[in-house]
Amino acid sequence: MKINEKVFAAKTMLSDTTPLHTFLVKGKDFSVLIDSGVATMFGDIVGVVEQSKSSDIRFLFNTHPHADHIGSNRQLKEKYGLLVAAPVGSERWIEDMEYHYEQFCLPFPEILPHSDETKRDILGLMDGGSKVDLSVTEGMTVRLDGETQLTTLALSGHMMYEIGFIEHSTNTLILGDAITLYEGDLFPGHFSPKQYRATVKKLGELNRKHRFNQVLTAHFEPTDSEGLNKHLLGVHHMIDQVDWTIHQILSEAAEPLSLEPIWRAVCERMGRIFEFRGLAMVHGHLSEAVQDGRILQVDGLYTVR
Ligand SMILES: [Fe+2]
Ligand SMILES: [Fe+2]
């Protein structure tokens, strides 16, 4: 799919309602891919490379190391001899599949223990580990030709390690999961509400400055400056709602609660399924509320002050 004269997208559906996009930015000197989707998207991405008539695919950038963004790394590396570039800190998630599974799916194995099925499902989205050749931080410029320039942004929150891009000649913002699906039956997860709020604010400020012509994300349809503001509001509201729900649960509880019943009650009240992403997210909210003195924690039990 052609987005504009420099940017192309591959698309698949992860579920009936959740799309997954990966991107190609074409320059005269070379082109780059942004994210590699799931393993089965390899053919679609090759199709987009052909549609764009790009001759030299030099880099594959992973916005962050979740399975649906790194799934075709190995096949793309083999086919194009490209270099894999990913946010600094994310390398081991991409190179070591056992580590990936443990870090992602087993945040609290005493609450959600190892399951062969989950492991098969998650690791099955990826074509195996691949070496990260370049570790990326904010403020890098990738010059694809005299006018086509990508700059990198650090967008921590959904994950500790996440980057996004501005393509300046077309004024396009390209993101992975820096804006997560704020509605739906699953918490996409964010490890730090504080850092996520900071990223939402940063994207809002960038949008005021640039008034992006196009805003591309992995799991929403392509949108514009106005659509970005709507999504930012949605994410902001979801973060607030998790905080309020936790506060309510603890206020109503007759005695201090541990992580598990709090997490289960948050999922029930917000209508989301019980899953490891939501578990890590609720823990992130609790930890920051304890740091801020809004919630008291003694021996793994939480209570409101
Ligand atoms: Fe993600
Ligand atoms: Fe994703």
Side-chain angles (χ1 to χ4, degrees):
M1 161 178 31
K2 187 172 181 175
I3 303 286
N4 58 44
E5 72 269 29
K6 303 283 173 65
V7 186
F8 296 76
K11 178 182 175 181
T12 192
M13 292 304 286
L14 283 182
S15 71
D16 291 349
T17 51
T18 307
L20 171 61
H21 301 93
T22 72
F23 305 102
L24 179 149
V25 184
K26 184 184 178 182
K28 293 191 185 79
D29 299 335
F30 63 94
S31 300
V32 303
L33 295 169
I34 297 177
D35 281 344
S36 68
V38 289
T40 50
M41 267 184 97
F42 172 66
D44 301 311
I45 297 171
V46 171
V48 167
V49 171
E50 282 164 11
Q51 186 202 3
S52 72
K53 299 192 167 58
S54 297
S55 49
D56 184 0
I57 308 290
R58 212 168 281 181
F59 293 101
L60 161 63
F61 286 92
N62 294 135
T63 57
H64 67 298
H66 279 156
D68 54 328
H69 300 258
I70 64 173
S72 298
N73 272 25
R74 182 177 281 194
Q75 299 165 87
L76 289 168
K77 197 167 193 173
E78 270 169 26
K79 177 153 176 84
Y80 297 114
L82 47 74
L83 296 175
V84 171
V88 65
S90 71
E91 299 84 354
R92 200 170 165 198
W93 281 69
I94 298 169
E95 294 173 349
D96 178 348
M97 293 292 101
E98 283 298 316
Y99 179 82
H100 183 114
Y101 169 68
E102 278 170 26
Q103 292 292 307
F104 189 41
C105 302
L106 303 176
F108 297 94
E110 65 284 7
I111 298 176
L112 277 178
H114 160 75
S115 127
D116 283 335
E117 196 193 341
T118 305
K119 186 171 183 178
R120 222 179 15 248
D121 285 354
I122 294 297
L123 295 191
L125 297 171
M126 298 173 279
D127 58 11
S130 63
K131 178 177 161 263
V132 174
D133 302 297
L134 183 68
S135 299
V136 179
T137 53
E138 173 155 298
M140 279 180 53
T141 302
V142 189
R143 294 160 56 90
L144 286 74
D145 58 44
E147 61 162 23
T148 314
Q149 279 193 18
L150 284 170
T151 54
T152 58
L153 304 164
L155 302 169
S156 171
H158 164 62
M159 233 209 140
M160 205 179 307
Y161 325 107
E162 175 132 14
I163 52 171
F165 302 85
I166 299 173
E167 198 297 294
H168 292 275
S169 68
T170 55
N171 196 27
T172 307
L173 177 68
I174 306 174
L175 305 174
D177 288 357
I179 304 169
T180 53
L181 290 168
Y182 41 89
E183 288 161 345
D185 60 0
L186 179 135
F187 282 121
H190 46 265
F191 90 101
S192 163
K194 228 173 246 176
Q195 292 194 32
Y196 205 6
R197 284 185 208 279
T199 282
V200 167
K201 186 164 174 250
K202 180 174 177 173
L203 288 172
E205 280 162 6
L206 283 168
N207 198 24
R208 263 192 296 284
K209 181 173 159 202
H210 293 276
R211 297 229 160 261
F212 296 113
N213 289 341
Q214 271 157 320
V215 175
L216 309 175
T217 63
H219 302 297
F220 293 99
E221 292 306 327
T223 186
D224 55 12
S225 164
E226 211 174 301
L228 173 60
N229 283 336
K230 187 179 145 259
H231 289 323
L232 293 174
L233 208 64
V235 169
H236 186 84
H237 182 68
M238 175 190 65
I239 302 170
D240 277 352
Q241 220 187 336
V242 175
D243 266 338
W244 297 332
T245 307
I246 291 173
H247 187 84
Q248 248 173 5
I249 291 162
L250 291 178
S251 304
E252 290 163 19
E255 53 189 20
L257 297 175
S258 68
L259 172 61
E260 182 169 1
I262 301 170
W263 158 64
R264 289 192 183 278
V266 170
C267 293
E268 271 161 10
R269 291 187 188 198
M270 291 183 67
R272 314 288 176 118
I273 59 169
F274 303 127
E275 211 233 20
F276 52 89
R277 278 167 265 227
L279 177 57
M281 180 200 74
V282 169
H283 180 257
H285 277 258
L286 286 168
S287 302
E288 290 188 1
V290 170
Q291 277 168 24
D292 294 348
R294 287 177 281 129
I295 288 176
L296 194 68
Q297 182 203 13
V298 180
D299 295 336
L301 296 175
Y302 299 91
T303 181
V304 277
R305 281 171 179 264

